[in-house]
Amino acid sequence: MINNIPQSKAILSVVDLTKNFGDLHVLKGISNTFYEGEVVSIIGPSGSGKSTLIRCLNHIEEPTSGQIIFEGVEITNPSTDINAVRRDMGMVFQNFGLFPHLTALENIMLAPRKVKKQSRDEAKNKALKLLERVGLSDKAENYPEQLSGGQQQRVAIARSLAMQPKVLLFDEPTSALDPEMVREVLDVMMGLAKDGMTMIVVSHEINFIRQASSRVLVLVDGEIIEDGPSEQVIESPSHPRTKEFLGKLL
Amino acid sequence: MDELNIRDLPRIFFNMEIMEGQWSLLFSGLWVTLEIAVVSIVLSTFFGLLVALMRIGNNKLLNALLIAYLEFCRATPIIVALIVVYFGLPFLNVTFSPFASAVIVIVFIHAAYIGEAFRAGILAISKTQTEAARSLGMSRLQTLIYILIPQAFRLVLPSLANQWTGIIKDTAICTILAITELLKAAQIISTWKANPTPLVMSTLLYLIILIPLTVITMQLEKRRGLKK
Ligand SMILES: Nc1ncnc2c1ncn2[C@@H]1O[C@H](COP(=O)(O)OP(=O)(O)OP(=O)(O)O)[C@@H](O)[C@H]1O
Ligand SMILES: [Mg+2]
């Protein structure tokens, strides 16, 4: 395990979060606290609400009730400037979400330039360094459609990093990838974990969970049924639903 | 009347002697046509985009108004709209120059169609694009300007080019106004010389402008077909 420091500063708290889509109760009162430097994996069966939960955290999905507090700011409060909050919270999507009309470099530079008002040169220098960090220096001028899935996802990670977020959210970042490309993305993510980045990751990649994740949340039917150190949850789960689910996974 | 002989056709329809000294009038007509077309294309594209943005804003009242507007434009022959604006509005003491009347009517009608094209284009963009932009801290407006509109433009370029072709063709409605655009110039010369050659020449000029545009449109459509 790379880091195991739950007693550091709380960075993101969720209090009694619920989310309904019409009559469908997807999240049924989620409470949890995420700490600086933690890498938390969220696992659970399909339809259990993992995506909904992670999308509520940066308010891409509007919660039905409950509170989300990020660095002391209640982002569920309507008067909060959500754009300012999102600057410090990166998100990586299952389907990459790169902007197809921009090159890899431009994808990374756009938000720092327009949101953080960085100069072109400053944004470009930082973007080039980030591309190097994800191993894609030679792809700066390529458009997304000219990149493989794994390369696109690495650019997407670099794009999130360009805003220097305090938390990175991932929603199944490798599940849309061909098997041979999963490794290159996980390597980047593990590198981030090693560098102390706070990460909340919806993923069933057991190797990532074992090697990089400090804590695992098990989400079933909109409720967290298990929350503990990765090793413990994976090797000796206490809840029968967790056992059943892991049985299918391993 | 003499018997018509097929060998007379060139003399009737392609009589270059008739055109001698008349080209400058024809070309100044072409220039007016191009002016009306360019101004109308720019403005109706701009207002079309605006209409599309208002449509996707999902305000119920605004949407109802815009749908009524679209239906009105679909059902109204453009020449009727022009007659109302140019000959009707002066009764309300609202008077526009022929040039302005033509532009107003063309833009009013075509902005509705272009708005529909843009709306379809924006709605065709994956939701993840907006989510990715917003999750980077970009505002709604920034997302529109830097992410959605550039992509929508690419998606709708073929139908946009189609609309632009339609606008150039619709400039011919100006013949009913006191303005000498291409078709009117041809008509004037034709009447004066009692020969249809000028009309044929104006047709050729329309084709010279429009064929490249329709070819480009076709190629854009083909390219998009390949990509999808
Ligand atoms: N926008 C929406 N409108 C209505 N229902 C939705 C919406 N988004 C998600 N749902 C429903 O909410 C439930 C939870 O979905 P969610 O995507 O959060 O699950 P998940 O755990 O991420 O599943 P998966 O592992 O398949 O990605 C599902 O039943 C889904 O159909
Ligand atoms: Mg999901």
Side-chain angles (χ1 to χ4, degrees), chain B residues 22-73:
Chain B
Q22 304 305 324
W23 287 108
S24 67
L25 181 58
L26 204 64
F27 277 114
S28 78
L30 174 65
W31 182 247
V32 174
T33 288
L34 288 177
E35 275 179 334
I36 298 172
V38 169
V39 173
S40 301
I41 283 173
V42 171
L43 290 181
S44 51
T45 304
F46 174 78
F47 284 109
L49 186 56
L50 216 59
V51 166
L53 295 181
M54 290 194 287
R55 277 298 298 276
I56 58 174
N58 265 338
N59 177 308
K60 279 216 176 84
L61 178 69
L62 197 58
N63 254 343
L65 284 174
L66 289 170
I67 290 171
Y69 158 58
L70 177 67
E71 288 310 315
F72 176 85
C73 292

Side-chain angles (χ1 to χ4, degrees), chain B residues 137-174:
Chain B
M138 288 167 68
S139 67
R140 250 174 224 281
L141 187 64
Q142 286 174 323
T143 304
L144 261 181
I145 294 175
Y146 301 113
I147 306 302
L148 297 181
I149 292 176
Q151 288 184 50
F153 247 103
R154 262 152 248 243
L155 285 172
V156 305
L157 204 54
S159 44
L160 217 47
N162 229 338
Q163 290 293 328
W164 294 345
T165 311
I167 288 177
I168 297 174
K169 289 200 248 176
D170 276 348
T171 59
I173 56 168
C174 297

Side-chain angles (χ1 to χ4, degrees), chain A residues 19-22 24-27 44-55 61 94 171-172 175 202 204 219, chain B residues 127:
Chain A
K19 174 69 188 180
N20 306 339
F21 290 109
L24 188 67
H25 301 283
V26 176
L27 299 178
S46 180
S48 58
K50 305 178 298 294
S51 296
T52 307
L53 171 59
I54 203 141
R55 291 156 56 82
E61 202 76 74
Q94 185 171 1
D171 188 5
E172 306 212 31
S175 61
V202 174
H204 294 145
L219 193 65
Chain B
K127 230 180 76 198

Side-chain angles (χ1 to χ4, degrees), chain A residues 55 58 60 83 86-87 89 91 93 97-101 110-111 114-115 117 145 159 163, chain B residues 127-140 142 146-148 150-151 154 227:
Chain A
R55 291 156 56 82
N58 70 348
I60 292 269
N83 296 332
R86 288 190 185 130
R87 266 171 238 165
M89 267 182 160
M91 184 166 225
F93 299 83
L98 289 185
F99 307 130
H101 60 300
L110 183 67
K114 302 305 174 189
V115 177
K117 311 291 180 203
E145 63 175 9
R159 180 176 70 178
M163 293 300 283
Chain B
K127 230 180 76 198
T128 312
Q129 289 291 307
T130 302
E131 292 177 351
R134 297 304 303 275
S135 73
L136 286 163
M138 288 167 68
S139 67
R140 250 174 224 281
Q142 286 174 323
Y146 301 113
I147 306 302
L148 297 181
Q151 288 184 50
R154 262 152 248 243
K227 264 192 176 173

Side-chain angles (χ1 to χ4, degrees), chain A residues 24-57:
Chain A
L24 188 67
H25 301 283
V26 176
L27 299 178
K28 301 169 183 166
I30 305 277
S31 296
N32 215 281
T33 298
F34 302 92
Y35 294 89
E36 221 163 53
E38 255 195 320
V39 177
V40 181
S41 296
I42 301 175
I43 63 174
S46 180
S48 58
K50 305 178 298 294
S51 296
T52 307
L53 171 59
I54 203 141
R55 291 156 56 82
C56 281
L57 295 183

